[in-house]
Amino acid sequence: MKKRLATLLSAVFHPLLVPSYLAGLLEVQQAAGKGRLWAVVLFTFLLPTGAALILLRLGRIDSLEMPQRQQRAWPLGLAALSFGAGAGWLHWQGVAPALVVGLAGMAVAVLLTFLITLRWKISAHGVGMGGAAGLLLALQLHFGRPGMGWVLAAAVLAAAVGWARLELRAHTPAQVWAGLALGLSVALAAAS
């Protein structure tokens, strides 16, 4: 039962899905440009997932889970480029700064995850969930949105996903804590 829950949490809160959840929340709360959710989904989920599928087909990675640190470099590097391109495109479109800054911060976090992964296996799930909690906290502190309930929910979910990664033996505690800390600090720095 615990392993199933851990697998479910890891899948539902995959790092490539978290930006879409955040953009959806911001759009619903009218803290970002209406109708821009599709762009976030494109640049942070569809393009990086498509790139990973191509790398899988070419034999550059063995599975989409990428349990080996060495196989994460290409997908993370391409994801960082895609996130950055998404932030640039949204800025060019004149979208609300909260969404642009949030996505730019995510691009920096993914880039740092890529660089760290060249030497050490940091938890990308931790980076994503730490970044989500940090971004929501920063938005709450600066704009009074989305509400402390969302910030607390993100913190609880970050802890749950961290537990899931440990339960699945995908990471060590140090890798999970480092991911959470990286995501949180980059999000807070980006929103400052």
Side-chain angles (χ1 to χ4, degrees), residues 34-109:
K34 284 289 192 186
R36 301 298 186 211
L37 179 58
W38 69 268
V40 174
V41 172
L42 174 67
F43 285 104
T44 66
F45 179 70
L46 295 175
L47 291 177
T49 300
L53 289 170
I54 291 169
L55 291 170
L56 180 65
R57 189 151 176 98
L58 294 174
R60 299 286 241 161
I61 58 175
D62 293 334
S63 79
L64 292 178
E65 292 177 356
M66 295 172 265
Q68 302 302 317
R69 175 190 58 81
Q70 297 83 351
Q71 293 187 6
R72 293 175 171 219
W74 273 100
L76 283 169
L78 293 171
L81 287 173
S82 188
F83 277 50
W89 189 86
L90 290 172
H91 176 70
W92 180 67
Q93 292 291 309
V95 173
L99 187 58
V100 175
V101 169
L103 192 53
M106 289 177 207
V108 169

Side-chain angles (χ1 to χ4, degrees), residues 10-32:
S10 291
V12 171
F13 295 101
H14 189 280
L16 295 181
L17 291 171
V18 172
S20 298
Y21 299 153
L22 291 170
L25 174 64
L26 293 177
E27 189 166 304
V28 166
Q29 296 213 338
Q30 299 178 349

Side-chain angles (χ1 to χ4, degrees), residues 3 13 21 39 50 57 59 63 73 97-98 103 116 119 148 156 164 179 183 185:
K3 194 157 293 267
F13 295 101
Y21 299 153
R57 189 151 176 98
S63 79
L103 192 53
I116 292 167
R119 295 271 185 208
M148 280 308 292
V156 168
S185 60

Side-chain angles (χ1 to χ4, degrees), residues 129-147:
M129 293 307 297
L135 179 62
L136 293 176
L137 177 60
L139 291 172
Q140 179 63 35
L141 294 173
H142 293 295
F143 304 109
R145 279 186 245 173

